[in-house]
Amino acid sequence: DESPNDPESIQYVSYDCSELFVKGADRPFFADRLFANRLVNHVDALRTGAQQNKIYIFDGPHGCGKSTFLNNLLKRFEQYANMEAGTRYETVWRLDRSQLPREDGSETASILESLLQTSRSEKRQFDIVRAMAKHKANSPYVEVPCPCHDNPLLMIPKAQRRRFLDELFDNNAFKYTLFTDKAYEWIFHDLPCTICTSIYDALITRLKSPAKVFEMVYAVPYHFNRRLGRGISVFSPGDRPIKQVIQTNEILQRMINQLFSDSNQVRYIHSSFAKTNNGIYALMDIKSHNIERLIELHNVISEGLHKVEDIEESVNSLFLAVMNPEDKKNIKDFQSFSDRIEYIQILYVLDLNTEVEIYKNIFGKHIIDSFLPRVLHNFARVIISSRLNQKSEALLEWIGDPKKYSLYCDSNLHLLKMEIYTGYIPTWLSDEDRKRFTAKLRRKIIAESETEGKKGFSGRDSIKIFNDFYSTCAREDKLINMSTLCNYFTKIRPDLSESIPAGFLESLLRMYDYTVLQEVKESLYNYNEAQISRDIQNYMFAVNFEQGSKETCPYTGELIEITDEFLWGIENRLLGGDVTDERRAEFRRDTQRIYTTSTLTQELIIENLPVTQTKLYGELHERYVYTLKEKVLDPFLKNENFRQAVKDYGQESFKTYDKRIREDVMFLMNNLTQKSRYTEQGAKEVCMYVIDNNLAAKFSNR
């Protein structure tokens, strides 16, 4: 949960679906937070038994990854079902000939002979079958696998199961779960297939003892194999229906008949649905032959039964399908079927972190090294903006007037909605709005995602656009910045702007500019109180001497070379960078006058105060901190040396700059790399971006 301690949390959870849909997949599917929550909620409902007798249709626009999702889900299901942790068991009857009437083989031979045809090839096939029949006839057992994959526990008569299990298990937590949890209801409610039921009835008639009957019941792992259609069957629209609707085993049927001396007592016939009983039956796209298959499922899903000649066959499969929006017309005439369909929407990605993961997976993780921080995610924001509804009633109810967040958000509040969809509540929201972000409002906003992601750039479109953008704009000597991104959508590919909400790019750029400006300012802030104190004490002392002299400050003990550049560096923090030389000279004279007439003679000598407690020190400290925080960039913007020093940082020429400038630039670069995740090149380029675009002036009145 993104906010576990928040009383207004709606349990909007960050699920890691990579093990399910990404790792080891030939074609990864990236589930964004919205879809992952929808999917898990449906699965939870399935487990509690709340949604039975339904077909689950994954519905969404073209290019959203529906088929990829289902293929990956089925692959993981097959892998899990064949692991020890996911093993299910099915019934095999091992009928003991010694306890049942023996067959003489004549009936088998007569049936086999009747199958013989005149052609030589068919004669050879018959010889092989007859040899197999003789081999089986010599075995002391006749093995009859349950074609419906019934669990062996179902062989216990339904009326006796609860008592049987009650006596079998001790009174513990598992036993309580077994008797109360919806997930185990099938043990007490389900019936075995008609084949197993008829075998049980035939055996109890012959043996007169349930114990002897159960000695012939064996449990074997139910092995899933999609390629063989065992446990999982997937049908594409072009797959033609099988002609042989009823399936049987002639040789096994003959052996069963001989054992029980009655050809009608146990009929080993079943439909194709038996192969996926207790498994998954899936349809890829509801069109062509899959329309017929879906219609055929109507009675199967409604009643859980399927008629095979005069036998009722139970069908207990998980029915899944994938559908495009235009295919809904194929089932619109079957209104009685509509309440049996549960739609699960797979929409275009609305979570910007997931969108970025898609790019990294397809083009390689190295692509992130070609972007300044935030720019790749801003590309994802542009793509996602095309998928959102223009107006959000829920956000307007919450925020009211979007203009109050114009520095951080667009007029449609799309940027805010994207943050909410990723599970992040922005820090730039006011305390009042954060308090008003109630669970009711959160559910309203998340509910709007059900109607979004159906238009705009599809998943395939976004990959093509990113490929074009990256190949066009990526350079080895320069990182991709916001100017490059905006230029691509407005000048290189203006056709794409038609799908992007009006004014969104401008708002995105403004949000980015403001953010990086604060980032650079924060990285220049020197909150080292000791350094601030040393600067002020050195300045108070230095203004009393001629330039060019070297003096040791008695307050700090530092040897100072008193130059105009030295004084200028500290004055930038005291006055800002936009003052005239006359103002600087006046400030130095005033400081010297106050120091000599009041600070030195009165406070330091007579009152014996520490220099840090003098009035002049206090005024200079207050001015220093204010300028440092509010106008930290001002001194550097008009100083070409500072800009050039940033540009030369890391090169030999950087050593030629004044010590103070070098220290400022190094301090800035270290903070950007350590606190803001920039590379050295990225730190240099973002500083150049801020300086060259004069962002400090752009937001000076904010």
Side-chain angles (χ1 to χ4, degrees), residues 101-114:
R102 292 179 176 275
E103 76 280 17
D104 57 10
S106 59
E107 192 173 2
T108 302
S110 64
I111 288 293
L112 292 173
E113 291 294 342
S114 67

Side-chain angles (χ1 to χ4, degrees), residues 257-309:
N257 290 348
Q258 288 185 2
L259 279 177
F260 296 115
S261 304
D262 185 349
S263 60
N264 291 318
Q265 195 167 8
V266 178
R267 297 188 63 194
Y268 196 81
I269 62 172
H270 57 87
S271 72
S272 59
F273 288 112
K275 297 194 74 174
T276 56
N277 199 45
N278 291 320
I280 296 179
Y281 183 100
L283 303 177
M284 287 287 187
D285 293 333
I286 308 303
K287 57 184 65 171
S288 188
H289 296 300
N290 277 350
I291 300 176
E292 304 166 28
R293 291 188 177 95
L294 184 64
I295 295 170
E296 185 183 11
L297 290 177
H298 185 284
N299 288 333
V300 174
I301 294 173
S302 299
E303 307 298 331
L305 298 172
H306 180 65
K307 203 77 170 179
V308 184
E309 291 188 345

Side-chain angles (χ1 to χ4, degrees), residues 392-457:
S392 169
E393 296 293 344
L395 286 177
L396 289 173
E397 176 188 342
W398 173 28
I399 299 299
D401 184 6
K403 291 181 180 178
K404 63 183 177 180
Y405 293 123
S406 60
L407 283 180
Y408 321 100
C409 204
D410 58 296
S411 59
N412 296 317
L413 299 173
H414 285 163
L415 289 169
L416 174 59
K417 177 172 277 191
M418 291 180 202
E419 298 299 313
I420 302 298
Y421 281 173
T422 63
Y424 176 68
I425 302 174
T427 56
W428 43 260
L429 289 171
S430 67
D431 290 339
E432 180 184 357
D433 283 337
R434 291 175 73 87
K435 290 177 182 177
R436 294 178 61 245
F437 194 35
T438 62
K440 182 180 179 181
L441 263 172
R442 297 180 193 194
R443 290 192 183 93
K444 279 188 177 182
I445 294 170
I446 297 301
E448 289 185 345
S449 69
E450 299 286 339
T451 64
E452 298 180 311
K454 299 180 180 181
K455 63 178 183 62
F457 299 125

Side-chain angles (χ1 to χ4, degrees), residues 354-413:
T354 304
E355 185 74 13
V356 170
E357 284 301 312
I358 293 173
Y359 303 147
K360 288 162 65 176
N361 177 267
I362 293 174
F363 299 98
K365 292 183 178 179
H366 67 277
I367 62 170
I368 200 166
D369 297 331
S370 300
F371 291 82
L372 282 173
R374 295 188 181 83
V375 177
L376 178 56
H377 285 75
N378 281 345
F379 180 91
R381 287 182 171 95
V382 175
I383 295 296
I384 293 173
S385 71
S386 71
R387 302 168 179 171
L388 299 177
N389 296 333
Q390 182 172 355
K391 190 176 181 182
S392 169
E393 296 293 344
L395 286 177
L396 289 173
E397 176 188 342
W398 173 28
I399 299 299
D401 184 6
K403 291 181 180 178
K404 63 183 177 180
Y405 293 123
S406 60
L407 283 180
Y408 321 100
C409 204
D410 58 296
S411 59
N412 296 317
L413 299 173

Side-chain angles (χ1 to χ4, degrees), residues 188-395:
F188 306 104
H189 293 170
D190 287 4
L191 293 171
C193 70
T194 52
I195 295 172
C196 289
T197 301
S198 55
I199 291 176
Y200 181 90
D201 292 341
L203 288 175
I204 203 72
T205 301
R206 299 288 198 283
L207 303 176
K208 311 297 183 185
S209 168
K212 289 185 177 180
V213 173
F214 292 142
E215 287 177 359
M216 299 185 188
V217 177
Y218 284 77
V220 297
Y222 180 4
H223 185 78
F224 286 70
N225 190 319
R226 171 179 171 172
R227 296 182 67 188
L228 298 179
R230 180 180 169 86
I232 301 175
S233 285
V234 183
F235 297 95
S236 296
D239 297 335
R240 295 183 178 277
I242 57 173
K243 295 180 180 179
Q244 186 180 357
V245 178
I246 300 172
Q247 301 181 15
T248 185
N249 185 319
E250 292 282 356
I251 296 175
L252 188 56
Q253 180 69 68
R254 185 56 51 195
M255 291 180 179
I256 293 171
N257 290 348
Q258 288 185 2
L259 279 177
F260 296 115
S261 304
D262 185 349
S263 60
N264 291 318
Q265 195 167 8
V266 178
R267 297 188 63 194
Y268 196 81
I269 62 172
H270 57 87
S271 72
S272 59
F273 288 112
K275 297 194 74 174
T276 56
N277 199 45
N278 291 320
I280 296 179
Y281 183 100
L283 303 177
M284 287 287 187
D285 293 333
I286 308 303
K287 57 184 65 171
S288 188
H289 296 300
N290 277 350
I291 300 176
E292 304 166 28
R293 291 188 177 95
L294 184 64
I295 295 170
E296 185 183 11
L297 290 177
H298 185 284
N299 288 333
V300 174
I301 294 173
S302 299
E303 307 298 331
L305 298 172
H306 180 65
K307 203 77 170 179
V308 184
E309 291 188 345
D310 56 346
I311 292 175
E312 281 190 347
E313 179 181 81
S314 296
V315 181
N316 185 28
S317 302
L318 178 60
F319 295 102
L320 305 176
V322 165
M323 178 183 283
N324 290 317
E326 69 272 13
D327 294 333
K328 287 187 177 180
K329 66 179 184 296
N330 296 327
I331 58 173
K332 66 178 182 180
D333 295 330
F334 300 93
Q335 293 299 321
S336 59
F337 201 9
S338 59
D339 62 335
R340 297 294 180 185
I341 297 176
E342 186 80 21
Y343 288 104
I344 303 175
Q345 292 196 98
I346 300 182
L347 305 171
Y348 298 144
V349 170
L350 298 176
D351 179 340
L352 65 96
N353 292 328
T354 304
E355 185 74 13
V356 170
E357 284 301 312
I358 293 173
Y359 303 147
K360 288 162 65 176
N361 177 267
I362 293 174
F363 299 98
K365 292 183 178 179
H366 67 277
I367 62 170
I368 200 166
D369 297 331
S370 300
F371 291 82
L372 282 173
R374 295 188 181 83
V375 177
L376 178 56
H377 285 75
N378 281 345
F379 180 91
R381 287 182 171 95
V382 175
I383 295 296
I384 293 173
S385 71
S386 71
R387 302 168 179 171
L388 299 177
N389 296 333
Q390 182 172 355
K391 190 176 181 182
S392 169
E393 296 293 344
L395 286 177

